[in-house]
Amino acid sequence: MITICTPTRDSVAAGFAYDLIGLTRYSPETIFTVSQGTYLSNLRTILVKTSLANHASHILFIDSDMRFPPETLSMLLKHDLDIVGANCVQRTQKQFTARRDGQFVSSIDKKGIERVDTLGFGVTLIKAEVFRKMQEPWFHTPFDGEKHVGEDVYFSTMAGEAGFEIYIDHDLSQKIRHCGIVEFGMEGY
């Protein structure tokens, strides 16, 4: 069983809801679960614990401000990787979420998969076994002396230290949108 896990503060975007329906029709073997609250670290932890209690084989995080194609899950599953996701364009800055060696990784004009050090969790598939092998907390937002580290970057760092590799799927990244007042994609680069 695969759980689609969505943390949200209060509501989901209409585009997200539309895409979620398309994904669940395309992949009917999934179960959707949502956690509502303020702190993403807590919400993601609740979603993982619920998924593990339900014997999920994979956890697909899709944030409530994302747009994605119906074949998202099948595109990520075909790689058979422990951690793989889309390299989303950040909502507030004109840059991607994935990093390698401290530098942002672009998905513009790229195809296939690429290993990275950290990945934003807008659209990310993780084998449940990863969580069973890692110690808690899986998600945390520590202060690094200048800013708070995002819970997804924290997880990526801890997973890397535990021996897991993280990949981005450039083909899927081309199809992902991050919704705000406007939608952010690869245009304008």
Side-chain angles (χ1 to χ4, degrees):
M1 182 221 358
I2 298 169
T3 56
I4 301 167
C5 295
T6 298
T8 188
R9 292 188 193 233
D10 54 8
S11 61
V12 299
F16 166 86
Y18 178 83
D19 293 346
L20 179 64
I21 291 167
L23 188 147
T24 56
R25 285 184 176 165
Y26 193 89
S27 303
E29 72 281 9
T30 59
I31 293 177
F32 176 69
T33 184
V34 65
S35 185
Q36 187 177 7
T38 303
Y39 300 107
L40 279 174
S41 297
N42 295 347
L43 301 177
R44 291 198 196 281
T45 298
I46 290 166
L47 291 165
V48 169
K49 287 184 175 185
T50 300
S51 297
L52 295 177
N54 289 319
H55 309 288
S57 62
H58 294 76
I59 296 167
L60 176 60
F61 281 109
I62 304 181
D63 288 352
S64 62
D65 58 354
M66 301 307 298
R67 299 293 314 267
F68 47 93
E71 66 274 13
T72 294
L73 178 59
S74 63
M75 289 180 75
L76 295 173
L77 278 172
K78 74 177 181 185
H79 302 301
D80 192 27
L81 295 167
D82 291 323
I83 305 167
V84 61
N87 189 16
C88 306
V89 173
Q90 292 186 15
R91 216 167 67 151
T92 57
Q93 301 176 28
K94 194 175 178 180
Q95 60 193 8
F96 290 89
T97 58
R99 294 182 195 179
R100 181 156 186 177
D101 299 325
Q103 301 297 314
F104 288 102
V105 176
S106 173
S107 285
I108 295 173
D109 297 327
K110 292 184 180 178
K111 296 196 177 298
I113 60 170
E114 181 178 349
R115 195 179 72 71
V116 295
D117 298 326
T118 63
L119 172 64
F121 269 22
V123 178
T124 303
L125 181 68
I126 304 169
K127 288 184 179 178
E129 196 60 32
V130 170
F131 293 101
R132 291 186 184 102
K133 291 181 179 176
M134 288 177 58
Q135 291 185 10
E136 291 187 59
W138 300 305
F139 306 102
H140 185 44
T141 55
F143 187 71
D144 71 1
E146 293 181 26
K147 64 185 178 328
H148 285 277
V149 174
E151 85 293 344
D152 43 12
V153 172
Y154 175 86
F155 173 86
S156 296
T157 302
M158 299 308 292
E161 290 176 5
F164 294 102
E165 293 184 341
I166 301 165
Y167 291 86
I168 52 176
D169 180 326
H170 292 296
D171 300 309
L172 177 60
S173 300
Q174 306 291 329
K175 300 177 179 188
I176 297 295
R177 312 284 299 162
H178 204 159
C179 302
I181 295 171
V182 297
E183 292 183 0
F184 295 89
M186 294 186 200
E187 307 80 26
Y189 271 94

